Amino acid sequence: MRSRTAANSTAANSTAAGARVGQPEAGESWAEEARARAAAVSPLSRRGGGLLAFALTLVAIVWASDLPARLGYSFYSEQFLAVVLALSLGQVFLVRASRWPPLDWTLAALGLAGGLWIALHYPRLVSAQMNLPLEGLALAAILLALVLEGLRRTTGWMLVLVVLGILALGLLGHLIPGDLQTRFVAPERLLIYLGFDANGLFGLTLMIAATVVIAFVFFGQLLLKSGGADFFNDIAMASMGRRRGGSAKIAVVASGLFGSISGVVVSNIVATGVVTIRMMAQAGYKRHQAAAIEAVASTGGQIVPPVMGAVAFLMADILQRPYSDIVVAAVIPAALYYLAVFVQVDLQAARDGIALVDRKQIPSARRVMARGWVFVLPFAVIVAALFWFGQRPETAALWGCVAALLVGLAKGYRARMAVGTVLQAVTDTGRSVVDIVMIAAAAGFIIGVLNITGLGFALTFSLVALGDGSLLLLLLIAAGVCLVLGMGMPTVGVYLLLAVLIAPSLVQSGVEPIAAHLFIFYLGMMSMVTPPVGIGAFFAASIAEARPMQTAVTAMRYGWAAYIVPFLFVFSPALLMMGEPGDILWSVAAAAAGVYLISAASVGWIAGAPGPLRRVGFLLAGVLLLYPQTAPYALLVNALGLSLGGGVYAASLLRRSVSFPSGRVPSDPAPPGPHGGA
């Protein structure tokens, strides 16, 4: 709670500072608007929303643990999902307040009552759906309208317009000539199908959100509140604090570790950024650079195996592939992403003379591990549950929750976790997932329309045709769509939506399914730092008191690898651990060298300042090394890149030795001495 308070206070100061300088930027307006909405919520609405959030998490845990079946009760899964939707809708309208509180309470009551009514009467309603009963039509229409309004309040208009556009195509597509023509479905039949069929609202996407996502977000909350965030910060500080650019490397490691389990980028920035951003600014990084590094590191945590913000489990479910296949495929791309970030912050520290972290702030690694080694146990429990006991992802997450709970209550990190803190974790989980539930419900509507009208096949065919036989062109189009559709949405929600709309066209074009899904995941994830709606970058900027748009643009530079690597592993599956060992080793080595050289060229520092010509040489060499292995003459092109990079590097070393015989250039940071090496 202290972190949140600090973040809000800093954000408020940021807005005031922006007002003093001049006209606020778009990101500042967004942050100010978000704070105004939060302040408009009455205490009664906030308490009501908290109770619904608590109930939402509790219901999800009970279902994931199979408790009803163990007690001899049998329910449709749709009944459970109706309860989840009811609690989520009630919470959305109470907490995401409008200007008219009576309207909010009315909508909350309507959503709660409608969802619970369906939960109670679902067997009767579903058996009569072919007769199009008026009761079913009314309930389906009410839920459709409420989900769209809840979606607008949580994610903005973008996704609402997408859903409305898909619905319009579903209703009128039979009148459209050409590739997008669909079969006719009567409006009342479509409404019943969307509201009650297992391929509609209460389908796979909502089930995944209500089980896997909630379970893993609860796991992350328990780990956070038991001291896990402090442990990650301390272990990052102990391992990186004595190195060149240590303050930034601490942020990268801590945010990457915590981001993998938190599942929510903004929450990750709050948990770690309030410490790391200040530390980087004190060391000498500019405020917008510190905010950008934190935003990129926190966003990248979503791609770090084994948890990947719960997306790994969703991907395994959707692709019907073993979870281990997803984790193995994600290792090298995640490593390349963080290699690019590490190289840039390291070389920037050398270029700008960034100060080392004060040794008094660096904890002893031995002491940190002695106090925090127990936090390894929850992860070990999850891995064991998945691989050795063959448990479902949500069950494995619950095992991890039990382990995290025991660790927190018995030991904690700096203090034991109180029972009240556990209850707060339950409530915070329900609050964190409501956006994802709304997106999953919307995705259910989209899937329903695509299935019943044949629009899914039409869209896939149209996208493939738009690519005009060129896979690269199709990937560029898909990347643009991913970045646009992902803006303002949590990572899990982004993936669920894109897996429905974009991934099928890539698979149809011959892309390996895991590569296609990782492609859309990476590009959708980067919408968190991509202008004009880079919410992750804007939030970090508010903590750093930096300009939001400047922070977002800088974050794109630090995270450049996430825009390029997805194209690489589509054309070179060896980067996903697919293929012969020799091909995999060469692909990884060439890609790592290419990422290093391009990052160095971006910073403008490698063996000193390289000068414009050598900087272009490094950039060109890096591009040649990233040339995909499946392309013609790949080995020759990679070898040329390696030779060019080595030659330019040797020339830089020679120039440095001639110009500065001592080995240090004036802009080098002071020698580390007792602090340790670079």
Side-chain angles (χ1 to χ4, degrees):
M1 295 301 293
R2 289 194 301 271
S3 295
R4 294 181 183 274
T5 304
N8 291 337
S9 175
T10 308
N13 294 337
S14 172
T15 304
R20 288 192 300 271
V21 172
Q23 188 70 22
E25 295 186 30
E28 292 168 338
S29 300
W30 169 85
E32 186 176 356
E33 182 182 346
R35 286 191 296 273
R37 287 197 304 267
V41 179
S42 68
L44 182 60
S45 295
R46 191 174 289 110
R47 283 195 294 271
L51 289 174
L52 294 177
F54 186 92
L56 173 60
T57 306
L58 202 59
V59 167
I61 292 172
V62 167
W63 184 266
S65 63
D66 284 331
L67 185 59
R70 297 175 193 275
L71 296 177
Y73 296 100
S74 177
F75 298 100
Y76 286 92
S77 60
E78 289 83 357
Q79 290 177 281
F80 157 67
L81 295 179
V83 174
V84 168
L85 185 63
L87 296 171
S88 300
L89 286 171
Q91 186 185 167
V92 165
F93 294 120
L94 289 181
V95 177
R96 311 297 172 93
S98 69
R99 298 179 181 178
W100 302 284
L103 175 63
D104 298 329
W105 280 92
T106 301
L107 293 177
L110 196 59
L112 194 61
L116 293 179
W117 183 268
I118 291 177
L120 289 172
H121 300 280
Y122 184 79
R124 175 177 59 81
L125 289 169
V126 76
S127 63
Q129 66 173 324
M130 297 303 295
N131 299 323
L132 304 178
L134 182 60
E135 178 188 9
L137 287 169
L139 286 169
I142 289 170
L143 287 184
L144 174 60
L146 291 178
V147 167
L148 289 176
E149 173 59 14
L151 195 63
R152 185 193 67 80
R153 294 194 184 196
T154 54
T155 68
W157 278 103
M158 174 65 73
L159 188 50
V160 175
L161 294 176
V162 170
V163 176
L164 290 175
I166 295 291
L167 286 171
L169 281 174
L171 290 171
L172 305 175
H174 63 287
L175 302 175
I176 301 175
D179 295 337
L180 286 178
Q181 188 173 47
T182 64
R183 61 175 173 264
F184 172 73
V185 179
E188 61 273 17
R189 176 69 62 191
L190 179 63
L191 199 57
I192 286 290
Y193 182 86
L194 295 180
F196 295 98
D197 194 90
N199 293 313
L201 173 60
F202 301 121
L204 176 65
T205 55
L206 190 57
M207 175 59 78
I208 290 174
T211 54
V212 179
V213 174
I214 291 180
F216 273 96
V217 171
F218 184 47
F219 171 70
Q221 286 289 337
L222 286 175
L223 211 59
L224 167 66
K225 295 184 184 302
S226 61
D230 293 332
F231 170 66
F232 290 144
N233 277 333
D234 285 354
I235 197 65
M237 192 174 294
S239 60
M240 295 292 166
R242 293 176 173 82
R243 301 180 182 274
R244 184 173 67 189
S247 57
K249 292 174 181 175
I250 289 168
V252 173
V253 172
S255 299
L257 288 173
F258 187 69
S260 178
I261 61 164
S262 73
V264 182
V265 172
V266 171
S267 297
N268 188 22
I269 292 173
V270 169
T272 58
V274 291
V275 175
T276 58
I277 289 175
R278 183 177 66 252
M279 186 185 303
M280 285 185 279
Q282 290 173 346
Y285 288 96
K286 295 177 181 177
R287 288 183 298 177
H288 71 277
Q289 293 172 344
I293 292 168
E294 174 59 39
V296 168
S298 294
T299 301
Q302 311 292 296
I303 63 173
V304 176
V307 179
M308 297 169 62
V311 168
F313 306 103
L314 311 188
M315 200 176 294
D317 272 355
I318 292 172
L319 291 174
Q320 293 297 294
R321 296 283 292 268
Y323 161 75
S324 57
D325 288 358
I326 309 300
V327 171
V328 169
V331 168
I332 293 174
L336 293 175
Y337 176 88
Y338 277 101
L339 173 64
V341 179
F342 257 88
V343 169
Q344 289 176 93
V345 299
D346 177 71
L347 295 181
Q348 184 179 340
R351 184 194 68 189
D352 298 341
I354 301 295
L356 296 169
V357 177
D358 186 350
R359 71 169 66 186
K360 296 178 181 178
Q361 293 182 294
I362 303 173
S364 163
R366 182 176 300 177
R367 189 176 299 116
V368 170
M369 289 305 300
R371 288 194 301 178
W373 67 269
V374 291
F375 286 97
V376 177
L377 296 179
F379 293 98
V381 167
I382 289 179
V383 172
L386 287 168
F387 290 103
W388 292 332
F389 294 97
Q391 297 296 315
R392 295 173 302 173
E394 60 268 30
T395 305
L398 291 184
W399 286 23
C401 289
V402 172
L405 187 63
L406 293 176
V407 166
L409 293 175
K411 191 175 189 296
Y413 184 58
R414 291 175 180 161
R416 293 181 181 178
M417 184 167 56
V419 175
T421 305
V422 177
L423 299 178
Q424 187 61 47
V426 176
T427 302
D428 288 347
T429 299
R431 287 172 174 159
S432 299
V433 301
V434 69
D435 295 26
I436 297 172
V437 172
M438 290 296 104
I439 295 169
F445 286 135
I446 292 173
I447 292 173
V449 174
L450 297 182
N451 284 342
I452 195 172
T453 64
L455 182 58
F457 175 79
L459 283 176
T460 299
F461 184 82
S462 298
L463 274 175
V464 173
L466 194 59
D468 195 25
S470 169
L471 180 57
L472 178 59
L473 179 58
L474 176 61
L475 291 173
L476 289 171
I477 294 170
V481 174
C482 290
L483 288 171
V484 171
L485 291 183
M487 289 181 177
M489 296 201 301
T491 308
V492 172
V494 171
Y495 171 70
L496 286 174
L497 179 66
L498 296 176
V500 172
L501 292 176
I502 305 300
S505 62
L506 300 181
V507 175
Q508 184 69 27
S509 297
V511 178
E512 160 66 36
I514 290 181
H517 281 253
L518 285 175
F519 180 90
I520 62 169
F521 176 42
Y522 267 63
L523 273 303
M525 173 195 74
M526 289 308 291
S527 65
M528 291 299 294
V529 297
T530 304
V533 193
I535 289 180
F538 291 167
F539 202 93
S542 71
I543 297 175
E545 301 184 20
R547 291 187 176 277
M549 293 303 293
Q550 184 183 24
T551 299
V553 171
T554 305
M556 289 181 66
R557 179 172 65 81
Y558 284 123
W560 71 266
Y563 299 99
I564 304 300
V565 168
F567 291 87
L568 296 183
F569 61 61
V570 167
F571 288 104
S572 183
L575 292 177
L576 300 179
M577 300 275 197
M578 298 176 183
E580 297 298 322
D583 293 338
I584 293 174
L585 288 174
W586 175 254
S587 297
V588 172
V595 166
Y596 183 93
L597 291 176
I598 293 176
S599 298
S602 172
V603 175
W605 189 271
I606 181 170
L613 188 59
R614 284 189 298 276
R615 192 171 178 179
V616 171
F618 282 128
L619 178 62
L620 179 59
V623 171
L624 294 176
L625 283 165
L626 293 182
Y627 191 70
Q629 297 301 303
T630 56
Y633 309 107
L635 190 61
L636 178 62
V637 173
N638 289 162
L640 181 61
L642 187 62
S643 301
L644 177 60
V648 177
Y649 184 71
S652 298
L653 286 177
L654 180 62
R655 176 184 176 277
R656 175 170 174 158
S657 63
V658 171
S659 302
F660 306 100
S662 66
R664 280 189 63 216
V665 295
S667 56
D668 276 343
H675 289 279

